[in-house]
Amino acid sequence: MPLPLLLTRPRAASDRVAARFKGDAARVVVSPLLRIELRGVPEVTGGVLLTSRHAVAAWQAADGPAGLPAWVVGPATAEAARAAGFDVRDVAPTAVALAEMVPLDAPPLVHLRGEVQRGDLAAALRERGITANDCVVYDQVAHHLTDEALALLRSGSVVVPLYSPRSATIFGDECPQAILGNVRAVCLSDAVAEACPVTPVLIANRPDGAAMDQVIRSALAAIGG
């Protein structure tokens, strides 16, 4: 019998994952720990750095112009950026890798980012002599676990995918200590695993959605089967 699956990403992202795993989990519960609130976007005359699909959504919501060159983290963000009309020049697996990948002759760049970030991509580029700054174009507002999610966690073992250090930290704050033993965490990266309140059962071999889908499916099969 497969285990249930608790998804805590922002609503749209969780709904996409839920649709993919509807037949693989005993039950899928969505309880977002972060709500995305879009802000306005700046005028950009050079190019952009995109490390999240939320930044692309903010650009589209503000009717930002198409055609700007973009350097991007992750295939999902790259796909969204191309659909929004950006000229995607290169795609890196992480922000650290992107900081080394952007060419020295790149135009002045703006990192369109969330209020909360790990590291400082623009500063890393400036250290290489590239003109770069950043602009917050969306907020990540923390939310409590729902009563439905807490009831699911109390009922027994649950596979819980965690995609960011912040969401792992919030989950640890929200999940009562007494039921952490029911959590079968699956983490996007070692950094997420470090912030996780329990030792994860699996860590993705690369930090992207396709790799996470693989380890979620493996966790459901290995633990629930």
PDB file of all heavy atoms in Angstrom, residues 135-164:
ATOM      1  N   CYS A 135      16.650  43.188  -7.800  1.00  0.00           N
ATOM      2  CA  CYS A 135      15.385  43.846  -7.499  1.00  0.00           C
ATOM      3  C   CYS A 135      14.405  42.783  -7.008  1.00  0.00           C
ATOM      4  O   CYS A 135      14.237  41.738  -7.660  1.00  0.00           O
ATOM      5  CB  CYS A 135      14.835  44.543  -8.745  1.00  0.00           C
ATOM      6  SG  CYS A 135      13.266  45.411  -8.449  1.00  0.00           S
ATOM      7  N   VAL A 136      13.769  43.037  -5.874  1.00  0.00           N
ATOM      8  CA  VAL A 136      12.778  42.117  -5.328  1.00  0.00           C
ATOM      9  C   VAL A 136      11.474  42.306  -6.099  1.00  0.00           C
ATOM     10  O   VAL A 136      10.899  43.392  -6.120  1.00  0.00           O
ATOM     11  CB  VAL A 136      12.553  42.361  -3.827  1.00  0.00           C
ATOM     12  CG1 VAL A 136      11.420  41.482  -3.300  1.00  0.00           C
ATOM     13  CG2 VAL A 136      13.838  42.079  -3.044  1.00  0.00           C
ATOM     14  N   VAL A 137      11.004  41.225  -6.745  1.00  0.00           N
ATOM     15  CA  VAL A 137       9.781  41.306  -7.548  1.00  0.00           C
ATOM     16  C   VAL A 137       8.670  40.411  -7.002  1.00  0.00           C
ATOM     17  O   VAL A 137       7.574  40.385  -7.551  1.00  0.00           O
ATOM     18  CB  VAL A 137      10.063  40.970  -9.029  1.00  0.00           C
ATOM     19  CG1 VAL A 137      11.009  42.007  -9.630  1.00  0.00           C
ATOM     20  CG2 VAL A 137      10.613  39.567  -9.192  1.00  0.00           C
ATOM     21  N   TYR A 138       8.954  39.674  -5.934  1.00  0.00           N
ATOM     22  CA  TYR A 138       7.889  38.910  -5.277  1.00  0.00           C
ATOM     23  C   TYR A 138       8.275  38.628  -3.827  1.00  0.00           C
ATOM     24  O   TYR A 138       9.456  38.614  -3.467  1.00  0.00           O
ATOM     25  CB  TYR A 138       7.578  37.596  -6.011  1.00  0.00           C
ATOM     26  CG  TYR A 138       8.712  36.587  -6.058  1.00  0.00           C
ATOM     27  CD1 TYR A 138       8.834  35.588  -5.091  1.00  0.00           C
ATOM     28  CD2 TYR A 138       9.653  36.608  -7.084  1.00  0.00           C
ATOM     29  CE1 TYR A 138       9.858  34.661  -5.139  1.00  0.00           C
ATOM     30  CE2 TYR A 138      10.675  35.684  -7.141  1.00  0.00           C
ATOM     31  CZ  TYR A 138      10.773  34.708  -6.160  1.00  0.00           C
ATOM     32  OH  TYR A 138      11.792  33.797  -6.216  1.00  0.00           O
ATOM     33  N   ASP A 139       7.255  38.443  -3.005  1.00  0.00           N
ATOM     34  CA  ASP A 139       7.432  38.068  -1.605  1.00  0.00           C
ATOM     35  C   ASP A 139       7.059  36.605  -1.423  1.00  0.00           C
ATOM     36  O   ASP A 139       6.183  36.081  -2.127  1.00  0.00           O
ATOM     37  CB  ASP A 139       6.540  38.920  -0.689  1.00  0.00           C
ATOM     38  CG  ASP A 139       6.922  40.384  -0.722  1.00  0.00           C
ATOM     39  OD1 ASP A 139       8.126  40.680  -0.670  1.00  0.00           O
ATOM     40  OD2 ASP A 139       6.011  41.225  -0.793  1.00  0.00           O
ATOM     41  N   GLN A 140       7.708  35.946  -0.448  1.00  0.00           N
ATOM     42  CA  GLN A 140       7.373  34.574  -0.073  1.00  0.00           C
ATOM     43  C   GLN A 140       6.848  34.624   1.369  1.00  0.00           C
ATOM     44  O   GLN A 140       7.618  34.654   2.323  1.00  0.00           O
ATOM     45  CB  GLN A 140       8.598  33.670  -0.168  1.00  0.00           C
ATOM     46  CG  GLN A 140       9.324  33.759  -1.517  1.00  0.00           C
ATOM     47  CD  GLN A 140      10.668  34.449  -1.399  1.00  0.00           C
ATOM     48  OE1 GLN A 140      10.782  35.554  -0.867  1.00  0.00           O
ATOM     49  NE2 GLN A 140      11.715  33.804  -1.907  1.00  0.00           N
ATOM     50  N   VAL A 141       5.536  34.650   1.511  1.00  0.00           N
ATOM     51  CA  VAL A 141       4.902  34.835   2.808  1.00  0.00           C
ATOM     52  C   VAL A 141       4.664  33.477   3.466  1.00  0.00           C
ATOM     53  O   VAL A 141       4.022  32.595   2.879  1.00  0.00           O
ATOM     54  CB  VAL A 141       3.566  35.591   2.660  1.00  0.00           C
ATOM     55  CG1 VAL A 141       2.931  35.823   4.027  1.00  0.00           C
ATOM     56  CG2 VAL A 141       3.796  36.925   1.942  1.00  0.00           C
ATOM     57  N   ALA A 142       5.180  33.292   4.690  1.00  0.00           N
ATOM     58  CA  ALA A 142       5.070  32.013   5.380  1.00  0.00           C
ATOM     59  C   ALA A 142       3.636  31.734   5.821  1.00  0.00           C
ATOM     60  O   ALA A 142       2.891  32.647   6.202  1.00  0.00           O
ATOM     61  CB  ALA A 142       5.994  31.998   6.600  1.00  0.00           C
ATOM     62  N   HIS A 143       3.259  30.459   5.749  1.00  0.00           N
ATOM     63  CA  HIS A 143       1.932  30.007   6.148  1.00  0.00           C
ATOM     64  C   HIS A 143       2.051  28.839   7.116  1.00  0.00           C
ATOM     65  O   HIS A 143       3.041  28.105   7.106  1.00  0.00           O
ATOM     66  CB  HIS A 143       1.122  29.554   4.919  1.00  0.00           C
ATOM     67  CG  HIS A 143       0.277  30.632   4.349  1.00  0.00           C
ATOM     68  ND1 HIS A 143      -1.077  30.511   4.179  1.00  0.00           N
ATOM     69  CD2 HIS A 143       0.586  31.870   3.918  1.00  0.00           C
ATOM     70  CE1 HIS A 143      -1.562  31.625   3.657  1.00  0.00           C
ATOM     71  NE2 HIS A 143      -0.568  32.461   3.482  1.00  0.00           N
ATOM     72  N   HIS A 144       1.002  28.624   7.920  1.00  0.00           N
ATOM     73  CA  HIS A 144       0.934  27.479   8.816  1.00  0.00           C
ATOM     74  C   HIS A 144       0.511  26.230   8.039  1.00  0.00           C
ATOM     75  O   HIS A 144      -0.160  26.311   7.007  1.00  0.00           O
ATOM     76  CB  HIS A 144      -0.083  27.722   9.930  1.00  0.00           C
ATOM     77  CG  HIS A 144       0.260  28.867  10.820  1.00  0.00           C
ATOM     78  ND1 HIS A 144       1.394  28.888  11.602  1.00  0.00           N
ATOM     79  CD2 HIS A 144      -0.386  30.043  11.068  1.00  0.00           C
ATOM     80  CE1 HIS A 144       1.439  30.023  12.286  1.00  0.00           C
ATOM     81  NE2 HIS A 144       0.382  30.736  11.979  1.00  0.00           N
ATOM     82  N   LEU A 145       0.888  25.066   8.559  1.00  0.00           N
ATOM     83  CA  LEU A 145       0.313  23.828   8.053  1.00  0.00           C
ATOM     84  C   LEU A 145      -1.180  23.816   8.343  1.00  0.00           C
ATOM     85  O   LEU A 145      -1.620  24.264   9.408  1.00  0.00           O
ATOM     86  CB  LEU A 145       0.965  22.612   8.724  1.00  0.00           C
ATOM     87  CG  LEU A 145       2.375  22.240   8.270  1.00  0.00           C
ATOM     88  CD1 LEU A 145       2.951  21.173   9.196  1.00  0.00           C
ATOM     89  CD2 LEU A 145       2.374  21.753   6.822  1.00  0.00           C
ATOM     90  N   THR A 146      -1.955  23.311   7.413  1.00  0.00           N
ATOM     91  CA  THR A 146      -3.402  23.246   7.607  1.00  0.00           C
ATOM     92  C   THR A 146      -3.759  22.133   8.600  1.00  0.00           C
ATOM     93  O   THR A 146      -2.959  21.224   8.866  1.00  0.00           O
ATOM     94  CB  THR A 146      -4.124  22.973   6.279  1.00  0.00           C
ATOM     95  OG1 THR A 146      -3.710  21.681   5.800  1.00  0.00           O
ATOM     96  CG2 THR A 146      -3.810  24.041   5.253  1.00  0.00           C
ATOM     97  N   ASP A 147      -4.978  22.202   9.114  1.00  0.00           N
ATOM     98  CA  ASP A 147      -5.461  21.133  10.002  1.00  0.00           C
ATOM     99  C   ASP A 147      -5.453  19.789   9.275  1.00  0.00           C
ATOM    100  O   ASP A 147      -5.159  18.748   9.873  1.00  0.00           O
ATOM    101  CB  ASP A 147      -6.878  21.454  10.488  1.00  0.00           C
ATOM    102  CG  ASP A 147      -6.907  22.629  11.462  1.00  0.00           C
ATOM    103  OD1 ASP A 147      -5.834  22.964  12.019  1.00  0.00           O
ATOM    104  OD2 ASP A 147      -7.996  23.206  11.654  1.00  0.00           O
ATOM    105  N   GLU A 148      -5.792  19.802   7.981  1.00  0.00           N
ATOM    106  CA  GLU A 148      -5.793  18.563   7.206  1.00  0.00           C
ATOM    107  C   GLU A 148      -4.388  17.973   7.132  1.00  0.00           C
ATOM    108  O   GLU A 148      -4.203  16.753   7.270  1.00  0.00           O
ATOM    109  CB  GLU A 148      -6.330  18.822   5.797  1.00  0.00           C
ATOM    110  CG  GLU A 148      -6.408  17.576   4.936  1.00  0.00           C
ATOM    111  CD  GLU A 148      -6.848  17.859   3.505  1.00  0.00           C
ATOM    112  OE1 GLU A 148      -6.744  19.021   3.059  1.00  0.00           O
ATOM    113  OE2 GLU A 148      -7.293  16.904   2.832  1.00  0.00           O
ATOM    114  N   ALA A 149      -3.382  18.831   6.923  1.00  0.00           N
ATOM    115  CA  ALA A 149      -2.000  18.355   6.850  1.00  0.00           C
ATOM    116  C   ALA A 149      -1.547  17.786   8.194  1.00  0.00           C
ATOM    117  O   ALA A 149      -0.899  16.730   8.242  1.00  0.00           O
ATOM    118  CB  ALA A 149      -1.088  19.497   6.421  1.00  0.00           C
ATOM    119  N   LEU A 150      -1.871  18.465   9.281  1.00  0.00           N
ATOM    120  CA  LEU A 150      -1.476  17.975  10.611  1.00  0.00           C
ATOM    121  C   LEU A 150      -2.161  16.650  10.929  1.00  0.00           C
ATOM    122  O   LEU A 150      -1.540  15.742  11.498  1.00  0.00           O
ATOM    123  CB  LEU A 150      -1.811  19.027  11.669  1.00  0.00           C
ATOM    124  CG  LEU A 150      -0.947  20.290  11.625  1.00  0.00           C
ATOM    125  CD1 LEU A 150      -1.522  21.361  12.549  1.00  0.00           C
ATOM    126  CD2 LEU A 150       0.496  19.964  12.012  1.00  0.00           C
ATOM    127  N   ALA A 151      -3.428  16.531  10.545  1.00  0.00           N
ATOM    128  CA  ALA A 151      -4.139  15.272  10.772  1.00  0.00           C
ATOM    129  C   ALA A 151      -3.489  14.137   9.972  1.00  0.00           C
ATOM    130  O   ALA A 151      -3.353  13.008  10.467  1.00  0.00           O
ATOM    131  CB  ALA A 151      -5.608  15.415  10.400  1.00  0.00           C
ATOM    132  N   LEU A 152      -3.082  14.423   8.739  1.00  0.00           N
ATOM    133  CA  LEU A 152      -2.412  13.419   7.920  1.00  0.00           C
ATOM    134  C   LEU A 152      -1.108  12.979   8.576  1.00  0.00           C
ATOM    135  O   LEU A 152      -0.812  11.782   8.652  1.00  0.00           O
ATOM    136  CB  LEU A 152      -2.132  13.997   6.528  1.00  0.00           C
ATOM    137  CG  LEU A 152      -1.477  13.039   5.528  1.00  0.00           C
ATOM    138  CD1 LEU A 152      -2.454  11.952   5.105  1.00  0.00           C
ATOM    139  CD2 LEU A 152      -0.966  13.811   4.303  1.00  0.00           C
ATOM    140  N   LEU A 153      -0.336  13.933   9.075  1.00  0.00           N
ATOM    141  CA  LEU A 153       0.945  13.609   9.704  1.00  0.00           C
ATOM    142  C   LEU A 153       0.752  12.798  10.985  1.00  0.00           C
ATOM    143  O   LEU A 153       1.578  11.943  11.318  1.00  0.00           O
ATOM    144  CB  LEU A 153       1.716  14.897   9.999  1.00  0.00           C
ATOM    145  CG  LEU A 153       2.288  15.612   8.772  1.00  0.00           C
ATOM    146  CD1 LEU A 153       2.679  17.043   9.111  1.00  0.00           C
ATOM    147  CD2 LEU A 153       3.504  14.850   8.232  1.00  0.00           C
ATOM    148  N   ARG A 154      -0.331  13.042  11.687  1.00  0.00           N
ATOM    149  CA  ARG A 154      -0.599  12.285  12.921  1.00  0.00           C
ATOM    150  C   ARG A 154      -1.057  10.858  12.620  1.00  0.00           C
ATOM    151  O   ARG A 154      -0.966   9.982  13.478  1.00  0.00           O
ATOM    152  CB  ARG A 154      -1.658  13.003  13.764  1.00  0.00           C
ATOM    153  CG  ARG A 154      -1.179  14.304  14.378  1.00  0.00           C
ATOM    154  CD  ARG A 154      -2.192  14.853  15.381  1.00  0.00           C
ATOM    155  NE  ARG A 154      -1.714  16.104  15.957  1.00  0.00           N
ATOM    156  CZ  ARG A 154      -2.082  17.319  15.545  1.00  0.00           C
ATOM    157  NH1 ARG A 154      -2.966  17.427  14.556  1.00  0.00           N
ATOM    158  NH2 ARG A 154      -1.590  18.396  16.110  1.00  0.00           N
ATOM    159  N   SER A 155      -1.547  10.629  11.404  1.00  0.00           N
ATOM    160  CA  SER A 155      -2.162   9.339  11.080  1.00  0.00           C
ATOM    161  C   SER A 155      -1.137   8.244  10.790  1.00  0.00           C
ATOM    162  O   SER A 155      -1.480   7.059  10.763  1.00  0.00           O
ATOM    163  CB  SER A 155      -3.092   9.497   9.875  1.00  0.00           C
ATOM    164  OG  SER A 155      -2.342   9.739   8.686  1.00  0.00           O
ATOM    165  N   GLY A 156       0.126   8.602  10.537  1.00  0.00           N
ATOM    166  CA  GLY A 156       1.140   7.607  10.212  1.00  0.00           C
ATOM    167  C   GLY A 156       2.182   8.176   9.267  1.00  0.00           C
ATOM    168  O   GLY A 156       2.276   9.397   9.079  1.00  0.00           O
ATOM    169  N   SER A 157       2.958   7.304   8.648  1.00  0.00           N
ATOM    170  CA  SER A 157       4.059   7.743   7.784  1.00  0.00           C
ATOM    171  C   SER A 157       3.552   8.510   6.564  1.00  0.00           C
ATOM    172  O   SER A 157       2.576   8.106   5.929  1.00  0.00           O
ATOM    173  CB  SER A 157       4.867   6.534   7.318  1.00  0.00           C
ATOM    174  OG  SER A 157       5.472   5.890   8.421  1.00  0.00           O
ATOM    175  N   VAL A 158       4.245   9.609   6.238  1.00  0.00           N
ATOM    176  CA  VAL A 158       3.870  10.475   5.123  1.00  0.00           C
ATOM    177  C   VAL A 158       5.145  10.897   4.385  1.00  0.00           C
ATOM    178  O   VAL A 158       6.122  11.312   5.016  1.00  0.00           O
ATOM    179  CB  VAL A 158       3.130  11.740   5.610  1.00  0.00           C
ATOM    180  CG1 VAL A 158       2.726  12.616   4.423  1.00  0.00           C
ATOM    181  CG2 VAL A 158       1.922  11.384   6.452  1.00  0.00           C
ATOM    182  N   VAL A 159       5.135  10.804   3.072  1.00  0.00           N
ATOM    183  CA  VAL A 159       6.247  11.319   2.271  1.00  0.00           C
ATOM    184  C   VAL A 159       6.072  12.832   2.117  1.00  0.00           C
ATOM    185  O   VAL A 159       5.018  13.300   1.676  1.00  0.00           O
ATOM    186  CB  VAL A 159       6.313  10.633   0.892  1.00  0.00           C
ATOM    187  CG1 VAL A 159       7.398  11.281   0.017  1.00  0.00           C
ATOM    188  CG2 VAL A 159       6.586   9.143   1.058  1.00  0.00           C
ATOM    189  N   VAL A 160       7.115  13.575   2.489  1.00  0.00           N
ATOM    190  CA  VAL A 160       7.060  15.047   2.459  1.00  0.00           C
ATOM    191  C   VAL A 160       8.228  15.567   1.623  1.00  0.00           C
ATOM    192  O   VAL A 160       9.366  15.617   2.100  1.00  0.00           O
ATOM    193  CB  VAL A 160       7.118  15.652   3.880  1.00  0.00           C
ATOM    194  CG1 VAL A 160       6.993  17.179   3.809  1.00  0.00           C
ATOM    195  CG2 VAL A 160       6.025  15.063   4.769  1.00  0.00           C
ATOM    196  N   PRO A 161       8.010  15.953   0.372  1.00  0.00           N
ATOM    197  CA  PRO A 161       9.074  16.566  -0.429  1.00  0.00           C
ATOM    198  C   PRO A 161       9.333  18.002   0.033  1.00  0.00           C
ATOM    199  O   PRO A 161       8.393  18.756   0.277  1.00  0.00           O
ATOM    200  CB  PRO A 161       8.516  16.553  -1.851  1.00  0.00           C
ATOM    201  CG  PRO A 161       7.306  15.659  -1.798  1.00  0.00           C
ATOM    202  CD  PRO A 161       6.784  15.754  -0.411  1.00  0.00           C
ATOM    203  N   LEU A 162      10.608  18.365   0.139  1.00  0.00           N
ATOM    204  CA  LEU A 162      10.986  19.718   0.553  1.00  0.00           C
ATOM    205  C   LEU A 162      11.955  20.271  -0.486  1.00  0.00           C
ATOM    206  O   LEU A 162      12.970  19.640  -0.801  1.00  0.00           O
ATOM    207  CB  LEU A 162      11.611  19.700   1.944  1.00  0.00           C
ATOM    208  CG  LEU A 162      10.652  19.262   3.073  1.00  0.00           C
ATOM    209  CD1 LEU A 162      11.418  18.980   4.353  1.00  0.00           C
ATOM    210  CD2 LEU A 162       9.576  20.325   3.296  1.00  0.00           C
ATOM    211  N   TYR A 163      11.637  21.464  -0.993  1.00  0.00           N
ATOM    212  CA  TYR A 163      12.343  22.005  -2.145  1.00  0.00           C
ATOM    213  C   TYR A 163      13.287  23.156  -1.831  1.00  0.00           C
ATOM    214  O   TYR A 163      14.020  23.586  -2.722  1.00  0.00           O
ATOM    215  CB  TYR A 163      11.322  22.470  -3.188  1.00  0.00           C
ATOM    216  CG  TYR A 163      10.586  21.360  -3.892  1.00  0.00           C
ATOM    217  CD1 TYR A 163       9.544  20.677  -3.270  1.00  0.00           C
ATOM    218  CD2 TYR A 163      10.915  20.989  -5.190  1.00  0.00           C
ATOM    219  CE1 TYR A 163       8.859  19.660  -3.923  1.00  0.00           C
ATOM    220  CE2 TYR A 163      10.232  19.978  -5.855  1.00  0.00           C
ATOM    221  CZ  TYR A 163       9.205  19.311  -5.206  1.00  0.00           C
ATOM    222  OH  TYR A 163       8.539  18.307  -5.852  1.00  0.00           O
ATOM    223  N   SER A 164      13.267  23.688  -0.634  1.00  0.00           N
ATOM    224  CA  SER A 164      14.147  24.812  -0.311  1.00  0.00           C
ATOM    225  C   SER A 164      14.500  24.778   1.166  1.00  0.00           C
ATOM    226  O   SER A 164      13.730  24.252   1.985  1.00  0.00           O
ATOM    227  CB  SER A 164      13.477  26.150  -0.647  1.00  0.00           C
ATOM    228  OG  SER A 164      12.439  26.438   0.293  1.00  0.00           O
TER     229      SER A 164
END
